[in-house]
Amino acid sequence: VSFNAIDSALSSLKNCQSYINSGMDVATQVALDLVESFNDEEDVNNMEKVMLEYATMDRELNHYIKAFEETINQVKQEKPENLPDLENLAQEKFLEMESMNSDSDLQKNEKYMHFKDQLKEMKKQCKSDNDTIEQIDEDLAVTRSQMNFICPITQVTMKRPVRNKVCGHIYEEDAILEMIQTRKQKKKKVRCPKMGCSHVDVKGSDLVPDEILKRLIDSQKKQ
């Protein structure tokens, strides 16, 4: 097996990862739809099983990619006279990594954690809507919601809200990413634009889509 063939195979595997990510995004949306339309808990649980299956595939792919990358680097550093069987070497490393797997690894998958977080929020939102629909004055409820819809950067209603995992504040996706990019070019950090927040280093990797808030905003527009 040549280095070029391995590079090509690794590139294909990394493309597969993007399909897994897309699948997890779709599964999250379906689960949120199920909760929102008060479907059976069993249906929602089935979507969680799908997410765990995706997380398992993602972990396996990560191990496979890592095993081959480590093997190539090792051989390039050692420069042996006779090129060893790269496939066998990589397979040994892969099996070693797989032998250390545990269920807790899957629970730490970022997409799965986001899924659980959004599911919890949606359940809370649906329960809250159900419990308080007759108790809260509608105008007050609308005003309170709309205040949460405004981006602290643009000062207009958000279209694609993202939440900062570090401080919990929410911004319009394009606005915060543009701010990060502009400051990065000047080699400066971005302070959270939410007034009063002490977080001084907002990173793109800390931002996750807030599906629940997006649904609330879309619902408000329809009304």
Side-chain angles (χ1 to χ4, degrees):
V1 180
S2 70
F3 285 134
N4 285 343
I6 289 175
D7 284 340
S8 173
L10 286 177
S11 179
S12 299
L13 286 176
K14 285 171 183 175
N15 281 338
C16 287
Q17 278 185 309
S18 69
Y19 296 131
I20 290 173
N21 283 334
S22 298
M24 292 180 100
D25 287 340
V26 171
T28 301
Q29 292 295 335
V30 170
L32 294 177
D33 285 340
L34 290 170
V35 173
E36 199 170 23
S37 53
F38 299 102
N39 279 58
D40 287 345
E41 187 71 19
E42 188 181 345
D43 292 337
V44 179
N45 290 341
N46 284 337
M47 293 317 299
E48 185 168 350
K49 287 175 188 170
V50 169
M51 288 294 287
L52 286 169
E53 284 171 17
Y54 273 126
T56 305
M57 285 190 279
D58 187 55
R59 178 177 65 187
E60 195 170 321
L61 261 181
N62 278 329
H63 284 168
Y64 212 72
I65 290 167
K66 193 177 175 186
F68 269 101
E69 286 177 341
E70 284 184 3
T71 301
I72 291 170
N73 289 337
Q74 183 183 328
V75 171
K76 282 180 177 176
Q77 281 176 1
E78 292 174 1
K79 298 177 182 173
E81 285 183 23
N82 298 315
L83 198 63
D85 188 327
L86 298 177
E87 201 167 344
N88 270 348
L89 276 176
Q91 187 68 13
E92 282 174 19
K93 285 182 185 290
F94 169 73
L95 292 174
E96 186 183 339
M97 290 177 196
E98 285 286 292
S99 69
M100 296 165 73
N101 285 347
S102 74
D103 289 345
S104 63
D105 299 341
L106 303 179
Q107 310 286 335
K108 291 172 189 169
N109 177 286
E110 191 161 337
K111 289 270 185 189
Y112 177 75
M113 286 166 70
H114 182 57
F115 166 85
K116 292 290 283 182
D117 184 41
Q118 294 287 282
L119 208 57
K120 184 179 171 186
E121 283 299 314
M122 179 59 89
K123 285 178 179 177
K124 197 193 297 178
Q125 185 67 43
C126 290
K127 185 176 187 301
S128 166
D129 287 351
N130 237 19
D131 292 348
T132 63
I133 199 156
E134 292 173 0
Q135 298 166 18
I136 295 181
D137 178 79
E138 279 194 27
D139 291 339
L140 179 63
V142 168
T143 306
R144 188 183 299 166
S145 296
Q146 285 174 337
M147 284 177 70
N148 295 329
F149 296 169
I150 305 296
C151 170
I153 305 165
T154 64
Q155 294 301 312
V156 296
T157 301
M158 291 178 276
K159 292 177 183 173
R160 288 189 299 183
V162 289
R163 181 166 47 82
N164 191 324
K165 291 186 291 185
V166 179
C167 63
H169 292 125
I170 299 164
Y171 335 97
E172 178 65 61
E173 184 178 28
D174 289 346
I176 189 67
L177 290 178
E178 186 182 338
M179 185 182 275
I180 290 169
Q181 188 59 33
T182 304
R183 299 288 285 175
K184 188 178 179 182
Q185 286 168 357
K186 296 176 182 176
K187 296 184 178 174
K188 292 182 178 178
K189 293 179 180 179
V190 175
R191 173 183 278 278
C192 174
K194 184 74 174 176
M195 195 178 289
C197 182
S198 58
H199 183 45
V200 292
D201 189 12
V202 179
K203 296 187 177 78
S205 56
D206 292 331
L207 305 173
V208 291
D210 195 313
E211 302 294 349
I212 312 301
L213 188 59
K214 186 178 186 306
R215 283 164 183 256
L216 283 172
I217 293 169
D218 292 345
S219 169
Q220 188 72 38
K221 281 180 187 170
K222 286 174 190 171
Q223 289 173 18

